[in-house]
Structure formats: structure tokens, C-alpha cells
Amino acid sequence: MSRDPPTAARVELAPERREARVAGDWTIRSLTASIGELRQGLALVPADAAWNLSALGRLDSFGATLLWRAWQGRWPERLELDPAHRAIIERIARSAERPIPAARGFGAADAFVTFGRVLIAFTGHLLDFAALLGRLGLDLVHLLRNPREWPLLEISANVFKVGVKAMPVTALVGFLIGVVLSYLSALQLKIFGADAFIVNILGLGIIRELGPVLVSVLVAGRSGSAMTAQLGVMRVTEEIDALAAMGVSRSLRLVLPKVIALTLAMPLLVLWTSSVALIGGWVSALVELDISFHFFITALPDAVPIANVYIGLTKGAVFGLLIALIACHFGLRVQPNTESLSSHTTASVVAAITVVILADAVFAIATRSIGIPG
């Protein structure tokens, strides 16, 4: 059934300019093309003029709003209007009279509500994280009872991805950090004539602190985000649900190999990066202080006790475990939409780096009297 074409809307003033006649269809469809001319015509109507709307055709909320504004928000003293059209304009008048609520400032109640929401969200993360640890613990017990079910292929593939493929970028960053640290230290040591102590600064700083933390930050941004994104995409594409429907444990096949692989690969990456960083530090020390490689290697064991190497490797294993757990935790929490995938991947990296720094602070306090040369 076809609708009649809209009648052109118009406003006509009587010759004595005492009456304004409104005719045609005042709908958004008919007013779009001539809205500018109609506003000019409405502006020419005197404030005390009578309004004759008997010839008004169709009327919608857009046309009623246009008329109400032309009347400056009040009913004309002399108005001829159909009851159906009056009902539409009255609805517009009631909505215009409704006051707009003023913006309320951020008060103590809002702060309390915000704190409650953050606390509830944090509690939810803790409960899910504890559940993940519980599932992994049960998986380890199951594997110890059934050694043939160890996911060795998945573990080796993850070791290659998070360990071997990360060696070039960690070596580059480690070398540059060693050069920068050695250069800045050499500038100060020259002043006091303590050139030989460059070995102590580089050895203790890189092996004990910078090496593990630097590798952890790089791995959290590179491998941690990849783990979260992989599990998140599997959640979006419902692959995890398909595994559950087939009776395959998601924690045993997806989470546990990543956790074990990163825990094993991180100490090796720490050792690799620390070694390259020390080489970079020696290159800068050779240029700035003329320190030979033989002297650097000979003085290093005396300046840095072997306990610092063990501390660095232990940090690497613990940091790798934490990064993998956090990455898998956020990956499993992804909802089946792309917005959730991106936000959880970002949150995974931020949370992993934050937890690594907190864990490093705990290590610093717990090992403050270990490995420090007397």
C-alpha cells in the first residue's frame, strides 16, 4: 500500500499581519528540504498574532517542536487547532517544561561505590586465579599418576616460542642496557679514579636485578600478551567450548604447557640476556675506561659472588611462572567479543609487569643479606 506524497509545509501571514496560517504536512520528511525558509517565515510572525492551524496536515514531534519554539515556549492567546494536533504539541510542551537535572559532583558516596566496585572486581580476579591454580595442581597430580599423558609436544613448542624466538630481542635490549649502564657509571667513576669498580657495578646490577627484571618486562609484553590473545581468540571462536564438549581438559592442554614452558625458559633467557648485557658493559668500559676483557672476566667472580647468579635464575623462574599464570588467567576471562579481547590483553601485560615488580621487591627484602660482597 503506497502512502500519499507529503504536502509542502508553509506559513502564510494575513495582509494585516494579524494572523498566521499554517498549512501542509509538518513532518521531518516534508520539512527537511525547506527548514531554513520555514524558520525565516516563523520569525516574521508578530508575537501577538493569531495562529490558524486548521489547514495543518500531518504533524510529528519534529514539526511540533518547530512550532513550539516559534511560540517561544508558550501557547498563543488566539489559536485554532485540531484536538489531535493539540495533543502532539502538548506532549512536546510537557517535555520542554521538564527540568534537566544538574550535573552532580563526585562526592564521598561515589568514591565509596567506586571503591566497592574495584574491590568486588579484584576479589573476582583472586577467586578465578585461585581456581586456576587449583586446576593446575590437580592436573599435576594426574600427570604424576599417569606419566604417559604429559603434554611434551605442547611444552616443547611453547619453550621454542617463548624462549628461542625471544633470544634476539632480549640480546639486543640487554646489550644496549649494558652499554648505557656502563657509560653512565664510567662518567662518575672517572671523577673519583675508581675505574676498576665498574666490574662491581655492572656485575651486581645486571646479574642480580636488571637481567631478571628486564627479561620479565620483555617477556610479559611479548609472550604474555601472545598467550592471552591466543586463549582469548579461542574463547571468541568457541574452540575452548569445543574442547570441553570433547572431554579435553583446557587447563591440561592449553594452560599447563604454557606455564611449564615459560617457567623453564625464563632462567635460560635471564642467563643469556645477562651475559650479553655484561658484554655490552665491557665494550663501553673498554672505550671509556680502557678496561681489558681479561681484567673484566677475572675480576667478575670476585666482585659478584655466585649466590647472585642463583638469585637471578630463581627470580627468572618465579617471574616466568607469574607471567604465564597471569596471561592464562586473563585469556580465560575473555568474553566472546573483540572489545573484551583487546582490553584483557592490555590488562594482562600491565598486571604481569606490576606483579613482577612487586615480586622483585619481595626478593630484594628476602635476599638483602645474601650474595652481597663484604
Side-chain angles (χ1 to χ4, degrees):
M1 181 177 179
S2 60
R3 298 181 60 182
D4 296 334
T7 306
R10 59 187 184 276
V11 180
E12 301 174 351
L13 277 174
E16 64 277 5
R17 295 176 59 86
R18 292 298 179 184
E19 184 183 49
R21 299 186 181 92
V22 176
D25 293 339
W26 284 63
T27 62
I28 189 172
R29 181 185 177 189
S30 60
L31 292 175
T32 302
S34 59
I35 184 68
E37 299 176 1
L38 287 175
R39 284 176 174 169
Q40 293 177 1
L42 292 172
L44 296 176
V45 179
D48 57 347
W51 288 81
N52 186 348
L53 278 69
S54 58
L56 180 62
R58 298 188 183 98
L59 179 67
D60 63 5
S61 59
F62 182 80
T65 302
L66 194 63
L67 289 171
W68 185 252
R69 290 180 179 177
W71 298 341
Q72 298 180 0
R74 60 179 182 271
W75 292 96
E77 295 181 0
R78 292 174 292 168
L79 175 63
E80 185 177 348
L81 180 63
D82 183 80
H85 294 156
R86 178 181 288 274
I88 298 175
I89 299 178
E90 285 179 348
R91 186 169 65 249
I92 297 299
R94 287 194 300 270
S95 63
E97 293 173 357
R98 188 180 301 119
I100 300 176
R104 186 169 56 89
F106 189 84
D110 299 303
F112 184 76
V113 171
T114 303
F115 175 76
R117 289 175 178 172
V118 172
L119 185 61
I120 292 173
F122 182 70
T123 304
H125 279 285
L126 288 181
L127 293 176
D128 289 348
F129 194 78
L132 177 62
L133 289 178
R135 286 196 298 268
L136 292 178
L138 294 176
D139 290 337
L140 287 175
V141 173
H142 173 75
L143 292 175
L144 291 176
R145 291 178 177 178
N146 305 274
R148 293 190 175 184
E149 296 186 15
W150 276 89
L152 299 180
L153 291 178
E154 291 89 342
I155 293 175
S156 62
N158 280 280
V159 168
F160 177 75
K161 287 191 293 185
V162 303
V164 177
K165 285 190 173 183
M167 290 177 66
V169 64
T170 54
L172 175 62
V173 175
F175 183 85
L176 295 177
I177 290 295
V179 170
V180 172
L181 180 62
S182 177
Y183 174 74
L184 295 177
S185 302
L187 294 179
Q188 299 299 317
L189 294 176
K190 278 183 180 180
I191 300 175
F192 302 100
D195 299 359
F197 288 99
I198 188 71
V199 181
N200 302 62
I201 295 175
L202 292 177
L204 198 62
I206 291 175
I207 294 175
R208 187 183 179 102
E209 291 295 335
L210 278 181
V213 174
L214 179 64
V215 173
S216 299
V217 172
L218 291 175
V219 169
R222 180 188 178 276
S223 303
S225 61
M227 291 179 182
T228 304
Q230 180 187 10
L231 293 176
V233 170
M234 295 183 70
R235 171 72 74 182
V236 172
T237 57
E238 299 181 351
E239 294 179 56
I240 294 180
D241 297 332
L243 290 176
M246 292 187 295
V248 178
S249 173
R250 65 180 185 182
S251 59
L252 181 60
R253 290 297 171 183
L254 299 178
V255 178
L256 188 62
K258 293 178 172 58
V259 174
I260 294 176
L262 197 53
T263 305
L264 295 176
M266 275 291 290
L268 303 178
L269 280 177
V270 169
L271 187 62
W272 161 255
T273 306
S274 299
S275 302
V276 176
L278 288 174
I279 293 175
W282 166 73
V283 171
S284 181
L286 175 65
V287 175
E288 293 294 326
L289 303 176
D290 197 21
I291 299 293
S292 66
F293 185 72
H294 180 268
F295 174 80
F296 192 90
I297 293 297
T298 304
L300 187 60
D302 297 330
V304 184
I306 191 64
N308 292 281
V309 179
Y310 298 146
I311 292 174
L313 296 179
T314 304
K315 283 184 177 182
V318 174
F319 294 167
L321 175 65
L322 293 174
I323 292 171
L325 288 174
I326 292 172
C328 294
H329 164 72
F330 279 96
L332 294 175
R333 287 176 62 92
V334 171
Q335 301 299 319
N337 60 78
T338 55
E339 178 65 26
S340 177
L341 175 62
S342 61
S343 62
H344 278 77
T345 303
T346 304
S348 169
V349 176
V350 174
I353 294 175
T354 303
V355 171
V356 162
I357 295 174
L358 291 176
D360 185 66
V362 173
F363 265 102
I365 296 173
T367 61
R368 61 185 181 277
S369 59
I370 302 176
I372 303 299

